[in-house]
Amino acid sequence: MANIGTFTKTGNEYKGEIVTMSVQQKNVRIVPEVSDNENAPSHRVFVGRTETGAAWPTRSPEGRDNLA
């Protein structure tokens, strides 16, 4: 699988950038989301102040926790 982003954990959120052939975006933040709905995403993705996506926790076949 290709690596399209680089993030570092800062406090309880992640900050970094996404780079593909058609997208070059810095200042991307992945922020935890608190919800009572079990189907809701656990994190929201922001570029600046604009919400651009969401993420749910997953586990890789190697047993590593990540967001998808």
Side-chain angles (χ1 to χ4, degrees), residues 11-27:
N12 65 344
E13 65 183 51
Y14 298 89
K15 294 182 181 180
E17 64 183 4
I18 296 173
V19 178
T20 68
M21 290 180 70
S22 59
V23 175
Q24 295 83 37
Q25 189 60 60
K26 296 183 180 185
N27 301 319

Side-chain angles (χ1 to χ4, degrees), residues 4-65:
I4 64 167
T6 304
F7 292 87
T8 48
K9 189 167 185 173
T10 305
N12 65 344
E13 65 183 51
Y14 298 89
K15 294 182 181 180
E17 64 183 4
I18 296 173
V19 178
T20 68
M21 290 180 70
S22 59
V23 175
Q24 295 83 37
Q25 189 60 60
K26 296 183 180 185
N27 301 319
V28 179
R29 295 181 302 121
I30 303 173
V31 180
E33 176 75 16
V34 177
S35 174
D36 293 334
N37 182 345
E38 65 183 44
N39 296 321
S42 64
H43 291 74
R44 301 287 180 177
V45 180
F46 292 91
V47 175
R49 294 184 352 199
T50 305
E51 183 178 341
T52 59
W56 288 259
T58 62
R59 185 170 296 238
S60 72
E62 296 82 21
R64 292 188 308 257
D65 293 330

